Amino acid sequence: EADSGGSSSAPALARALARLLLHLHGRNVRRRFADDEAFHFKDFGALPNGPRHADGGGGAAAAAGARPVDAFRDPRFGRVLRELPMCVPFAVRYSVFQGLVDDDKARTQDEEAAMRSVAMGGARGG
C-alpha cells in the first residue's frame, strides 16, 4: 500500500522538478550564476538508446552504431529533449536534429525517385 502512494506522486515530482529546472535556467539566462553545462544531464545511460555521456559518445549505444536520432525515438529521451532541452548538450541536440533531417531527406528523395520512375514508365507505356 505504501508503494502505490509513492508511485502516484512520482509524476507530480517529475513535473515539479522540470518546472524548477526551467525556472532556474530562465533566471540564469537573465542573470548568469552558473555555466550552461551545470544544467546538462551528465549521463543518459538510463535510456536504452541514449548517448552514454553528455558529449554524445562512448556508450554502449555508440559502440553498437546507434545514432543520436535513434535515442530520440525513445519516449523518455524525446520527452527530456522536448521539455528540458537545456539539459541536453547542444552537440547532442544538433546531432538528433541533423539525423531527423537526414532521415526525412532520404525518405522524401526515395519517394521522389519512385514517383519519377512511375512517371517515366507511364510515359513510355502510353
Side-chain angles (χ1 to χ4, degrees):
E1 191 167 301
D3 289 342
S4 65
S7 64
S8 65
S9 65
L13 179 61
R15 285 190 301 274
L17 288 173
R19 283 194 307 268
L20 176 63
L21 274 172
L22 287 169
H23 177 74
L24 286 171
H25 185 263
R27 170 95 30 113
N28 190 51
V29 168
R30 290 188 300 279
R31 185 175 177 113
R32 184 166 297 283
F33 59 85
D35 291 333
D36 289 338
E37 291 79 24
F39 292 95
H40 292 171
F41 291 157
K42 302 299 182 216
D43 187 6
F44 294 103
L47 301 173
N49 294 320
R52 191 69 171 146
H53 299 287
D55 64 1
R67 304 172 306 150
V69 70
D70 297 332
F72 181 70
R73 300 190 198 310
D74 176 61
R76 292 179 293 171
F77 183 70
R79 186 172 183 189
V80 167
L81 201 53
R82 281 188 306 275
E83 295 181 16
L84 299 169
M86 72 286 199
C87 294
V88 180
F90 177 78
V92 175
R93 293 191 319 257
Y94 177 79
S95 295
V96 168
F97 175 74
Q98 191 63 48
L100 290 170
V101 168
D102 290 345
D103 287 353
D104 189 52
K105 193 185 298 185
R107 186 175 51 252
T108 303
Q109 289 174 351
D110 286 347
E111 289 172 1
E112 288 176 6
M115 293 301 282
R116 277 196 303 272
S117 68
V118 168
M120 294 298 284
R124 289 182 192 147

